[in-house]
């Protein structure tokens, strides 16, 4: 089933892992899903985004969040916006996957979070990261996407 995925990755929090975000988005698209927020991974798209004001970015992102079937968040680089999106996604009862590179000092509000629908996983290398995404997407698909 083709699903709408809201991908979250750090923007103001720092672009150090932009290549990893691209890997995730391209993988989700290769699985046949639609990534509503692919601009988070592609810097050239962010240049275009600069034409939008903060209120427009917020309104559009919240509309996409509501439209999405599930969230995939790369949380290795701490980001206020990503934390906000995760909380909002859980409130809307969307399944949320939080991924981070093994050894990263991720907020305990994520690693210790027991809210239903949240899956938190570290990965030692990119190959394992993609396998975690595959397992999560298989679960989301089996649950009908919401
Ligand atoms: O606090 P952060 O900026 O790191 O939050 C990143 C998250 O918030 C991402 O997952 C995005 O979904 C969302 N977000 C934050 N800023 C933008 C944005 N800025 N455009 C779209 N989504 C955003 C416009 C471009 C900027 C370079 C001026």
């Amino acid at each position: 089933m083709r699903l709408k995925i809201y991908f979250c990755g750090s923007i103001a929090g720092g672009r150090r892992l932009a290549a990893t975000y691209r890997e995730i988005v391209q993988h989700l698209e290769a699985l046949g899903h639609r990534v509503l927020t692919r601009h988070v991974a592609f810097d050239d798209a962010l240049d275009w985004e600069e034409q939008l004001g903060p209120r427009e970015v917020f309104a559009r992102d919240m509309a996409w969040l509501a439209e999405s079937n599930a969230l995939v968040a790369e949380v290795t680089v701490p980001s206020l916006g990503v934390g906000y999106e995760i909380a909002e996604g859980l409130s809307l009862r969307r399944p949320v996957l939080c991924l981070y590179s093994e050894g990263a000092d991720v907020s305990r509000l994520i690693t210790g979070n027991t809210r239903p629908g949240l899956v938190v996983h570290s990965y030692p290398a990119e190959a394992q990261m993609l396998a975690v995404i595959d397992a999560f997407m298989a679960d989301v698909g089996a649950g009908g996407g919401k």
Side-chain angles (χ1 to χ4, degrees):
M1 183 174 33
R2 187 169 199 239
L3 298 171
K4 292 179 194 168
I5 306 301
Y6 190 103
F7 172 72
C8 318
S10 168
I11 296 178
R15 299 295 288 162
R16 180 170 69 81
L17 288 190
T20 304
Y21 305 158
R22 283 196 288 278
E23 188 82 24
I24 294 171
V25 167
Q26 281 169 340
H27 186 69
L28 288 166
E29 289 177 343
L31 291 174
H33 304 301
R34 183 171 155 215
V35 181
L36 301 173
T37 55
R38 71 191 312 281
H39 54 271
V40 173
F42 293 90
D43 301 68
D44 55 336
L46 278 177
D47 295 342
W48 173 80
E49 290 275 307
E50 277 183 54
Q51 293 169 21
L52 294 178
R55 285 175 185 245
E56 290 165 294
V57 169
F58 177 75
R60 195 195 49 180
D61 282 358
M62 291 304 105
W64 272 333
L65 198 55
E67 188 189 340
S68 71
N69 302 109
L71 279 71
V72 174
E74 214 296 347
V75 299
T76 306
V77 176
S79 154
L80 280 174
V82 171
Y84 185 88
E85 289 166 334
I86 292 166
E88 195 69 15
L90 290 171
S91 293
L92 293 173
R93 300 190 185 283
R94 298 296 185 273
V96 179
L97 172 64
C98 289
L99 289 161
Y100 63 95
S101 175
E102 211 169 81
D105 190 14
V106 174
S107 169
R108 274 50 171 182
L109 266 75
I110 300 298
T111 56
N113 196 312
T114 55
R115 282 185 71 177
L118 178 66
V119 178
V120 182
H121 241 288
S122 67
Y123 57 86
E126 248 166 47
Q128 288 88 343
M129 174 184 86
L130 298 182
V132 172
I133 292 172
D134 289 347
F136 174 77
M137 291 310 304
D139 274 0
V140 172
K146 281 260 167 87

